[in-house]
PDB file of all heavy atoms in Angstrom:
ATOM      1  N   LEU A 260     -18.365  -8.579   1.130  1.00 83.00           N
ATOM      2  CA  LEU A 260     -19.739  -8.253   1.466  1.00 83.00           C
ATOM      3  C   LEU A 260     -20.223  -9.058   2.692  1.00 83.00           C
ATOM      4  O   LEU A 260     -21.240  -8.710   3.311  1.00 83.00           O
ATOM      5  CB  LEU A 260     -20.676  -8.467   0.325  1.00 83.00           C
ATOM      6  CG  LEU A 260     -20.454  -7.500  -0.911  1.00 83.00           C
ATOM      7  CD1 LEU A 260     -21.406  -7.774  -1.969  1.00 83.00           C
ATOM      8  CD2 LEU A 260     -20.476  -6.028  -0.463  1.00 83.00           C
ATOM      9  N   VAL A 294     -14.776  -7.000  -7.362  1.00 88.00           N
ATOM     10  CA  VAL A 294     -16.088  -6.386  -7.227  1.00 88.00           C
ATOM     11  C   VAL A 294     -16.581  -6.322  -5.815  1.00 88.00           C
ATOM     12  O   VAL A 294     -17.056  -5.258  -5.380  1.00 88.00           O
ATOM     13  CB  VAL A 294     -17.118  -7.221  -8.145  1.00 88.00           C
ATOM     14  CG1 VAL A 294     -18.503  -6.635  -7.949  1.00 88.00           C
ATOM     15  CG2 VAL A 294     -16.708  -7.232  -9.531  1.00 88.00           C
ATOM     16  N   ALA A 297     -14.601  -3.477  -4.024  1.00 87.00           N
ATOM     17  CA  ALA A 297     -15.053  -2.161  -4.468  1.00 87.00           C
ATOM     18  C   ALA A 297     -16.389  -1.841  -3.841  1.00 87.00           C
ATOM     19  O   ALA A 297     -16.569  -0.781  -3.329  1.00 87.00           O
ATOM     20  CB  ALA A 297     -15.080  -2.066  -5.996  1.00 87.00           C
ATOM     21  N   ALA A 298     -17.309  -2.816  -3.842  1.00 89.00           N
ATOM     22  CA  ALA A 298     -18.588  -2.605  -3.336  1.00 89.00           C
ATOM     23  C   ALA A 298     -18.544  -2.314  -1.784  1.00 89.00           C
ATOM     24  O   ALA A 298     -19.211  -1.421  -1.223  1.00 89.00           O
ATOM     25  CB  ALA A 298     -19.579  -3.836  -3.516  1.00 89.00           C
ATOM     26  N   TYR A 299     -17.729  -3.073  -1.059  1.00 87.00           N
ATOM     27  CA  TYR A 299     -17.601  -2.835   0.380  1.00 87.00           C
ATOM     28  C   TYR A 299     -17.023  -1.512   0.655  1.00 87.00           C
ATOM     29  O   TYR A 299     -17.504  -0.804   1.581  1.00 87.00           O
ATOM     30  CB  TYR A 299     -16.623  -3.951   0.899  1.00 87.00           C
ATOM     31  CG  TYR A 299     -16.351  -3.892   2.403  1.00 87.00           C
ATOM     32  CD1 TYR A 299     -17.272  -4.636   3.308  1.00 87.00           C
ATOM     33  CD2 TYR A 299     -15.433  -3.078   2.941  1.00 87.00           C
ATOM     34  CE1 TYR A 299     -17.098  -4.524   4.613  1.00 87.00           C
ATOM     35  CE2 TYR A 299     -15.198  -3.015   4.295  1.00 87.00           C
ATOM     36  CZ  TYR A 299     -16.060  -3.681   5.220  1.00 87.00           C
ATOM     37  OH  TYR A 299     -15.881  -3.650   6.510  1.00 87.00           O
ATOM     38  N   ILE A 301     -17.078   1.225  -1.163  1.00 89.00           N
ATOM     39  CA  ILE A 301     -18.038   2.253  -1.586  1.00 89.00           C
ATOM     40  C   ILE A 301     -19.118   2.393  -0.508  1.00 89.00           C
ATOM     41  O   ILE A 301     -19.430   3.506  -0.152  1.00 89.00           O
ATOM     42  CB  ILE A 301     -18.714   1.927  -2.930  1.00 89.00           C
ATOM     43  CG1 ILE A 301     -17.731   2.066  -4.013  1.00 89.00           C
ATOM     44  CG2 ILE A 301     -19.934   2.756  -3.160  1.00 89.00           C
ATOM     45  CD1 ILE A 301     -18.205   1.617  -5.390  1.00 89.00           C
ATOM     46  N   ILE A 302     -19.582   1.249   0.031  1.00 90.00           N
ATOM     47  CA  ILE A 302     -20.630   1.344   1.129  1.00 90.00           C
ATOM     48  C   ILE A 302     -19.930   1.931   2.397  1.00 90.00           C
ATOM     49  O   ILE A 302     -20.515   2.826   3.053  1.00 90.00           O
ATOM     50  CB  ILE A 302     -21.148  -0.054   1.482  1.00 90.00           C
ATOM     51  CG1 ILE A 302     -21.953  -0.530   0.288  1.00 90.00           C
ATOM     52  CG2 ILE A 302     -22.067  -0.103   2.658  1.00 90.00           C
ATOM     53  CD1 ILE A 302     -22.382  -1.984   0.358  1.00 90.00           C
ATOM     54  N   SER A 305     -19.526   5.633   1.929  1.00 86.00           N
ATOM     55  CA  SER A 305     -20.884   6.328   1.899  1.00 86.00           C
ATOM     56  C   SER A 305     -21.388   6.445   3.292  1.00 86.00           C
ATOM     57  O   SER A 305     -21.957   7.432   3.687  1.00 86.00           O
ATOM     58  CB  SER A 305     -21.896   5.472   1.070  1.00 86.00           C
ATOM     59  OG  SER A 305     -21.429   5.450  -0.255  1.00 86.00           O
ATOM     60  N   VAL A 320     -28.941   1.120   2.633  1.00 92.00           N
ATOM     61  CA  VAL A 320     -27.952   0.441   1.755  1.00 92.00           C
ATOM     62  C   VAL A 320     -28.666  -0.541   0.921  1.00 92.00           C
ATOM     63  O   VAL A 320     -29.371  -1.467   1.496  1.00 92.00           O
ATOM     64  CB  VAL A 320     -26.847  -0.119   2.594  1.00 92.00           C
ATOM     65  CG1 VAL A 320     -25.768  -0.789   1.626  1.00 92.00           C
ATOM     66  CG2 VAL A 320     -26.158   0.946   3.422  1.00 92.00           C
ATOM     67  N   THR A 321     -28.632  -0.484  -0.417  1.00 91.00           N
ATOM     68  CA  THR A 321     -29.278  -1.324  -1.290  1.00 91.00           C
ATOM     69  C   THR A 321     -28.314  -2.194  -2.133  1.00 91.00           C
ATOM     70  O   THR A 321     -27.363  -1.555  -2.744  1.00 91.00           O
ATOM     71  CB  THR A 321     -30.248  -0.611  -2.243  1.00 91.00           C
ATOM     72  OG1 THR A 321     -31.186   0.216  -1.372  1.00 91.00           O
ATOM     73  CG2 THR A 321     -31.035  -1.559  -3.034  1.00 91.00           C
ATOM     74  N   LEU A 322     -28.461  -3.462  -2.234  1.00 91.00           N
ATOM     75  CA  LEU A 322     -27.652  -4.282  -3.030  1.00 91.00           C
ATOM     76  C   LEU A 322     -28.438  -5.043  -4.014  1.00 91.00           C
ATOM     77  O   LEU A 322     -29.483  -5.660  -3.671  1.00 91.00           O
ATOM     78  CB  LEU A 322     -26.877  -5.322  -2.090  1.00 91.00           C
ATOM     79  CG  LEU A 322     -25.973  -4.786  -0.959  1.00 91.00           C
ATOM     80  CD1 LEU A 322     -25.348  -5.934  -0.212  1.00 91.00           C
ATOM     81  CD2 LEU A 322     -24.920  -3.831  -1.525  1.00 91.00           C
ATOM     82  N   THR A 323     -28.054  -4.987  -5.263  1.00 89.00           N
ATOM     83  CA  THR A 323     -28.883  -5.700  -6.359  1.00 89.00           C
ATOM     84  C   THR A 323     -27.921  -6.344  -7.240  1.00 89.00           C
ATOM     85  O   THR A 323     -26.994  -5.791  -7.785  1.00 89.00           O
ATOM     86  CB  THR A 323     -29.714  -4.606  -7.112  1.00 89.00           C
ATOM     87  OG1 THR A 323     -30.576  -3.889  -6.293  1.00 89.00           O
ATOM     88  CG2 THR A 323     -30.571  -5.387  -8.202  1.00 89.00           C
ATOM     89  N   PHE A 329     -23.466  -5.711 -10.837  1.00 90.00           N
ATOM     90  CA  PHE A 329     -23.724  -5.648  -9.353  1.00 90.00           C
ATOM     91  C   PHE A 329     -23.972  -4.217  -9.048  1.00 90.00           C
ATOM     92  O   PHE A 329     -23.095  -3.356  -9.253  1.00 90.00           O
ATOM     93  CB  PHE A 329     -22.645  -6.307  -8.546  1.00 90.00           C
ATOM     94  CG  PHE A 329     -22.995  -6.363  -7.104  1.00 90.00           C
ATOM     95  CD1 PHE A 329     -23.941  -7.215  -6.616  1.00 90.00           C
ATOM     96  CD2 PHE A 329     -22.408  -5.506  -6.187  1.00 90.00           C
ATOM     97  CE1 PHE A 329     -24.256  -7.268  -5.284  1.00 90.00           C
ATOM     98  CE2 PHE A 329     -22.695  -5.493  -4.866  1.00 90.00           C
ATOM     99  CZ  PHE A 329     -23.597  -6.395  -4.373  1.00 90.00           C
ATOM    100  N   GLU A 330     -25.088  -3.850  -8.475  1.00 92.00           N
ATOM    101  CA  GLU A 330     -25.432  -2.524  -8.250  1.00 92.00           C
ATOM    102  C   GLU A 330     -25.456  -2.234  -6.669  1.00 92.00           C
ATOM    103  O   GLU A 330     -25.918  -3.033  -5.888  1.00 92.00           O
ATOM    104  CB  GLU A 330     -26.812  -2.118  -8.775  1.00 92.00           C
ATOM    105  CG  GLU A 330     -26.827  -2.226 -10.304  1.00 92.00           C
ATOM    106  CD  GLU A 330     -28.260  -1.966 -10.889  1.00 92.00           C
ATOM    107  OE1 GLU A 330     -29.207  -1.712 -10.076  1.00 92.00           O
ATOM    108  OE2 GLU A 330     -28.430  -2.076 -12.094  1.00 92.00           O
ATOM    109  N   VAL A 331     -24.852  -1.065  -6.334  1.00 92.00           N
ATOM    110  CA  VAL A 331     -24.803  -0.655  -4.992  1.00 92.00           C
ATOM    111  C   VAL A 331     -25.414   0.749  -4.880  1.00 92.00           C
ATOM    112  O   VAL A 331     -25.078   1.620  -5.693  1.00 92.00           O
ATOM    113  CB  VAL A 331     -23.306  -0.587  -4.513  1.00 92.00           C
ATOM    114  CG1 VAL A 331     -23.305  -0.037  -3.026  1.00 92.00           C
ATOM    115  CG2 VAL A 331     -22.647  -1.958  -4.509  1.00 92.00           C
ATOM    116  N   GLY A 332     -26.306   0.896  -3.889  1.00 92.00           N
ATOM    117  CA  GLY A 332     -27.003   2.179  -3.679  1.00 92.00           C
ATOM    118  C   GLY A 332     -26.989   2.517  -2.220  1.00 92.00           C
ATOM    119  O   GLY A 332     -27.315   1.658  -1.414  1.00 92.00           O
ATOM    120  N   VAL A 333     -26.680   3.737  -1.911  1.00 92.00           N
ATOM    121  CA  VAL A 333     -26.708   4.232  -0.579  1.00 92.00           C
ATOM    122  C   VAL A 333     -27.497   5.548  -0.507  1.00 92.00           C
ATOM    123  O   VAL A 333     -27.142   6.489  -1.221  1.00 92.00           O
ATOM    124  CB  VAL A 333     -25.370   4.447   0.050  1.00 92.00           C
ATOM    125  CG1 VAL A 333     -25.412   4.929   1.469  1.00 92.00           C
ATOM    126  CG2 VAL A 333     -24.508   3.153   0.007  1.00 92.00           C
ATOM    127  N   ASP A 367     -22.351   7.486  -9.780  1.00 91.00           N
ATOM    128  CA  ASP A 367     -23.095   8.732  -9.738  1.00 91.00           C
ATOM    129  C   ASP A 367     -23.482   9.122  -8.331  1.00 91.00           C
ATOM    130  O   ASP A 367     -23.721   8.124  -7.507  1.00 91.00           O
ATOM    131  CB  ASP A 367     -24.333   8.614 -10.636  1.00 91.00           C
ATOM    132  CG  ASP A 367     -25.053   9.990 -10.634  1.00 91.00           C
ATOM    133  OD1 ASP A 367     -24.487  11.025 -10.645  1.00 91.00           O
ATOM    134  OD2 ASP A 367     -26.347   9.845 -10.657  1.00 91.00           O
ATOM    135  N   VAL A 384     -25.966   7.667  -3.555  1.00 91.00           N
ATOM    136  CA  VAL A 384     -24.767   7.176  -4.177  1.00 91.00           C
ATOM    137  C   VAL A 384     -25.113   5.911  -4.936  1.00 91.00           C
ATOM    138  O   VAL A 384     -25.629   5.023  -4.356  1.00 91.00           O
ATOM    139  CB  VAL A 384     -23.663   6.880  -3.129  1.00 91.00           C
ATOM    140  CG1 VAL A 384     -22.453   6.232  -3.732  1.00 91.00           C
ATOM    141  CG2 VAL A 384     -23.265   8.221  -2.440  1.00 91.00           C
ATOM    142  N   ARG A 385     -24.819   5.918  -6.238  1.00 92.00           N
ATOM    143  CA  ARG A 385     -25.101   4.758  -7.056  1.00 92.00           C
ATOM    144  C   ARG A 385     -23.786   4.278  -7.714  1.00 92.00           C
ATOM    145  O   ARG A 385     -23.053   5.104  -8.285  1.00 92.00           O
ATOM    146  CB  ARG A 385     -26.107   5.046  -8.191  1.00 92.00           C
ATOM    147  CG  ARG A 385     -27.527   5.327  -7.650  1.00 92.00           C
ATOM    148  CD  ARG A 385     -28.513   5.351  -8.709  1.00 92.00           C
ATOM    149  NE  ARG A 385     -29.827   5.769  -8.428  1.00 92.00           N
ATOM    150  CZ  ARG A 385     -30.255   7.063  -8.467  1.00 92.00           C
ATOM    151  NH1 ARG A 385     -29.370   7.960  -8.983  1.00 92.00           N
ATOM    152  NH2 ARG A 385     -31.421   7.370  -8.088  1.00 92.00           N
ATOM    153  N   ALA A 386     -23.575   2.971  -7.726  1.00 92.00           N
ATOM    154  CA  ALA A 386     -22.410   2.422  -8.375  1.00 92.00           C
ATOM    155  C   ALA A 386     -22.818   1.188  -9.070  1.00 92.00           C
ATOM    156  O   ALA A 386     -23.412   0.228  -8.430  1.00 92.00           O
ATOM    157  CB  ALA A 386     -21.252   2.147  -7.406  1.00 92.00           C
ATOM    158  N   THR A 387     -22.498   1.076 -10.337  1.00 93.00           N
ATOM    159  CA  THR A 387     -22.792  -0.170 -11.135  1.00 93.00           C
ATOM    160  C   THR A 387     -21.525  -0.836 -11.482  1.00 93.00           C
ATOM    161  O   THR A 387     -20.715  -0.216 -12.226  1.00 93.00           O
ATOM    162  CB  THR A 387     -23.603   0.133 -12.365  1.00 93.00           C
ATOM    163  OG1 THR A 387     -24.790   0.820 -11.974  1.00 93.00           O
ATOM    164  CG2 THR A 387     -23.934  -1.118 -13.164  1.00 93.00           C
ATOM    165  N   LEU A 388     -21.259  -2.023 -10.952  1.00 91.00           N
ATOM    166  CA  LEU A 388     -19.936  -2.747 -11.169  1.00 91.00           C
ATOM    167  C   LEU A 388     -20.152  -3.871 -12.099  1.00 91.00           C
ATOM    168  O   LEU A 388     -20.946  -4.756 -11.824  1.00 91.00           O
ATOM    169  CB  LEU A 388     -19.410  -3.250  -9.829  1.00 91.00           C
ATOM    170  CG  LEU A 388     -19.270  -2.169  -8.706  1.00 91.00           C
ATOM    171  CD1 LEU A 388     -18.908  -2.801  -7.413  1.00 91.00           C
ATOM    172  CD2 LEU A 388     -18.232  -1.094  -9.107  1.00 91.00           C
TER     173      LEU A 388
END
Side-chain angles (χ1 to χ4, degrees):
L260 295 179
V294 175
Y299 182 92
I301 289 172
I302 296 171
S305 298
V320 178
T321 305
L322 303 179
T323 305
F329 182 73
E330 297 178 359
V331 177
V333 181
D367 184 34
V384 173
R385 294 192 187 92
T387 303
L388 306 174

